[in-house]
Amino acid sequence: MTAFWVLAPFMVLAALGLVLARKAVHAALCLAVVMISLAVLYAAQGAPFLFAVQIVVYTGAIMMLFLFVLMLVGVETAESLTETIPGQRLGAVVVALVFGALGVVGVAQSVTGAVVGVEQANEGGNVEGLAALMFGPYVLAFEATAALLITAVLGAMVLAHRERLAARLTQREVAEGRLQDYARHGTHPGQLPTPGVFARHNAVDTPALLPDGSVADASVPAPLRARDQVRPGDRAEVDAVARELEPGTGEGRDR
Amino acid sequence: MTEYLGLSMLLFTIGAAGVLVRRNAIVVFMCVELMLNAANLALVSFSRQHGELDGQLAAFFVMVVAAAEVVVGLAIIVSIYRTRRSTSVDDASLLKA
């Protein structure tokens, strides 16, 4: 029971965080907290197999998949906070409160009689007991699960597959395209400047500085620019480095 | 026992509220996962209440279905994102009459 009272407040807080967090990654972390706590509660309730499965399948596989798709999709997309249906948010909260109150009261009255506990059922081992059930009375459900998993795999492959509509560009065509861009729009045909050139740091969020000390925008990855996480180019730092290298030249030089 | 069921109900409600409130399809999806997890907790608790392992097995099947659901759902979200450049559930309204 100690595990429950220690974990339950954390789980509720993390669940609220999942709903209220502004960034999807924070929401995912909150969900991971809830899932790991649930695993501990399973272990405390005599379900060691589910404890392992919860950690491996949910916090391992499913959360990893969520984070993977988040990185693929949601980094630049911001959630709009305007309501499409007026009063929807308030209505949802009121409905949830009523539903929750109703549910908790109903559930509190649903349990009668003493707790039997699974110690006796677990006598020959929890995994063995579950296996006897799974391959005994529930074997049809188990077979249906296999069909479901194969269908899901096929569905994901079909949905994520993209047909190549145009022929693949050869290296020669890419090079010619770049030079034509240069001829028409003056786009630099070479590679983009790397972050940190002429700057104090070489982290990816540090923009390269042009010879006049201004920031070269193309040197920082686009997602960092979209999230406004570019470290500002600091003239004073550049001057300090210049002084360090050649004493007496940093200050009054004409730039 | 009642505490476990109360907590499960609370988590389920929070997840349902999240599904209603949030717009980002991925976060909505995570809220659905929270609801499934809450149901699992109730199943395991009832398993202990009655001293049978059937509840734990049901929770296991729920996990399997949840895994399959996540795979297909996230694939749908990715393919929607490819064509519409958005994961907001408000933008996917093409099927509206």
Side-chain angles (χ1 to χ4, degrees), chain A residues 11-241:
Chain A
M11 289 168 72
V12 173
L13 280 183
L16 286 175
L18 163 66
V19 176
L20 299 176
R22 200 160 257 185
K23 289 184 178 168
V25 178
H26 295 172
L29 284 180
C30 287
L31 187 57
V33 169
V34 176
M35 284 171 171
I36 292 177
S37 314
L38 269 177
V40 176
L41 288 192
Y42 292 163
Q45 293 207 77
F49 177 67
L50 281 184
F51 163 77
V53 172
Q54 171 87 6
I55 298 252
V56 171
V57 173
Y58 262 115
T59 37
I62 293 186
M63 286 316 296
M64 197 275 303
L65 212 59
F66 267 117
L67 286 174
F68 202 76
V69 171
L70 267 183
M71 295 302 153
L72 212 64
V73 161
V75 174
E76 287 172 64
T77 53
E79 191 170 339
S80 79
L81 290 174
T82 50
E83 288 182 299
T84 340
I85 310 166
Q88 182 225 11
R89 215 166 285 156
L90 185 69
V93 170
V94 171
V95 167
L97 282 179
V98 173
F99 176 73
L102 199 69
V104 169
V105 170
V107 148
Q109 293 173 346
S110 72
V111 181
T112 51
V115 178
V116 179
V118 281
E119 285 77 20
Q120 204 180 347
N122 274 347
E123 215 152 59
N126 179 251
V127 180
E128 284 84 348
L130 281 175
L133 273 180
M134 190 186 295
F135 298 108
Y138 290 98
V139 72
L140 262 183
F142 179 71
E143 296 289 345
T145 303
L148 175 80
L149 284 178
I150 290 192
T151 318
V153 168
L154 280 180
M157 274 170 64
V158 168
L159 282 169
H161 178 72
R162 187 158 39 169
E163 207 69 51
R164 183 178 283 283
L165 295 174
R168 194 191 183 96
L169 288 180
T170 61
Q171 212 172 0
R172 183 187 187 85
E173 283 163 344
V174 171
E176 281 170 358
R178 280 196 186 167
L179 282 178
Q180 271 177 5
D181 265 357
Y182 176 60
R184 289 196 192 121
H185 315 292
T187 321
H188 180 54
Q191 63 190 19
L192 294 173
T194 51
V197 178
F198 298 131
R200 194 69 198 275
H201 311 273
N202 59 1
V204 281
D205 65 340
T206 313
L209 298 183
L210 297 173
D212 62 351
S214 62
V215 163
D217 267 334
S219 64
V220 187
L224 289 181
R225 264 181 279 152
R227 277 183 282 172
D228 218 14
Q229 287 177 343
V230 178
R231 190 197 294 263
D234 195 354
R235 284 288 285 275
E237 280 191 4
V238 179
D239 283 342
V241 174

